[in-house]
Amino acid sequence: MKKEDCTTNEGPGLSCSAMLNAIADTQYVIGGKWTLRVIIALSDQPRRFNELQKLIEGISARVLSNELKDLELNGFIHRKIDAKAKPVIVEYELAAYSHSLSEVVKSMVHWGLNHREKIKQRMV
Amino acid sequence: MKKEDCTTNEGPGLSCSAMLNAIADTQYVIGGKWTLRVIIALSDQPRRFNELQKLIEGISARVLSNELKDLELNGFIHRKIDAKAKPVIVEYELAAYSHSLSEVVKSMVHWGLNHREKIKQRMV
DNA sequence: CGGCATCCTTCGCGATACTG
DNA sequence: CAGTATCGCGAAGGATGCCG
């Protein structure tokens, strides 16, 4: 075993720094305060800008705008423009790639619930 | 199905806000820049403060100190003190609870690697 | 050696106003 | 309606120095 290899067996054959970089990437992409909220708000149907802002309580237009740009850059959503309509209609819809997050989201939800339970019991 | 239920099927029977809270908890606990690095640095053996600081490149004493306190509060590590030695020896070791993170870590590593691959291919 | 105190910087985010 | 521009706060983190 190389010095760099992690003894935790999360990444068989993966160096620690490679693992840490991958984790940092994930945190960078979905670690923002609103990122996953926007994705979830789009999970059942495409939505328009102001619709999203009403749906996601507390988000400002500036932040929502930035989130949507980043999400599009990362391939999570598509921006659909209907230029024929007047005024122009812009809709955001989830791309297939957003489903690749399901495992990450699931494990985070699971761990978060367990952790809260654990904390509660320690309080008793 | 209640209005609150998520149409993404990550949390069967779980409301969106419950999911989002659980995710926020997880991000709060392990979302710090250094948290997982410290845990991984401790994964093969207990280590002392200055040893950790050398091992984790770039971390300051202040930040490491805070991380270790938080990690202990959250039950991830134990602080072992050998008071008989002079000067006193302090060691940090992983607690069993830190292994509960393995699924989260694994999925984040996996997704991060895939995402980087995807980005690379788009560059071509 | 194992930290804590202090000061400073950076970055994410919030609030508000404004525009085509 | 769908955003952009501007301003600025607050918290996380970095740099440095000191102490038992």
Side-chain angles (χ1 to χ4, degrees), chain A residues 54-67:
Chain A
K54 276 169 205 155
L55 212 57
I56 305 171
E57 215 164 322
I59 198 169
S60 72
R62 187 186 75 90
V63 172
L64 178 55
S65 175
N66 290 337
E67 281 307 327

Side-chain angles (χ1 to χ4, degrees), chain B residues 63-79:
Chain B
V63 173
L64 178 55
S65 175
N66 290 337
E67 282 304 330
L68 290 170
K69 269 182 212 157
D70 288 353
L71 289 172
E72 200 187 2
L73 267 175
N74 282 318
F76 290 132
I77 63 175
H78 290 129
R79 191 168 184 268

Side-chain angles (χ1 to χ4, degrees), chain A residues 48-50 62 65 69 79 92:
Chain A
R48 304 173 64 171
F49 190 92
N50 285 304
R62 187 186 75 90
S65 175
K69 270 181 210 157
R79 190 168 184 267
Y92 298 92

Side-chain angles (χ1 to χ4, degrees), chain A residues 31-39 56-60 63 67:
Chain A
K33 178 172 178 181
W34 300 102
T35 313
L36 287 172
R37 288 174 196 267
V38 175
I39 292 181
I56 305 171
E57 215 164 322
I59 198 169
S60 72
V63 172
E67 281 307 327

Side-chain angles (χ1 to χ4, degrees), chain B residues 46-64:
Chain B
R47 295 191 187 274
R48 303 172 63 173
F49 190 92
N50 285 304
E51 196 181 356
L52 279 172
Q53 201 182 348
K54 275 169 206 156
L55 212 57
I56 305 170
E57 215 164 322
I59 196 169
S60 72
R62 189 185 73 90
V63 173
L64 178 55

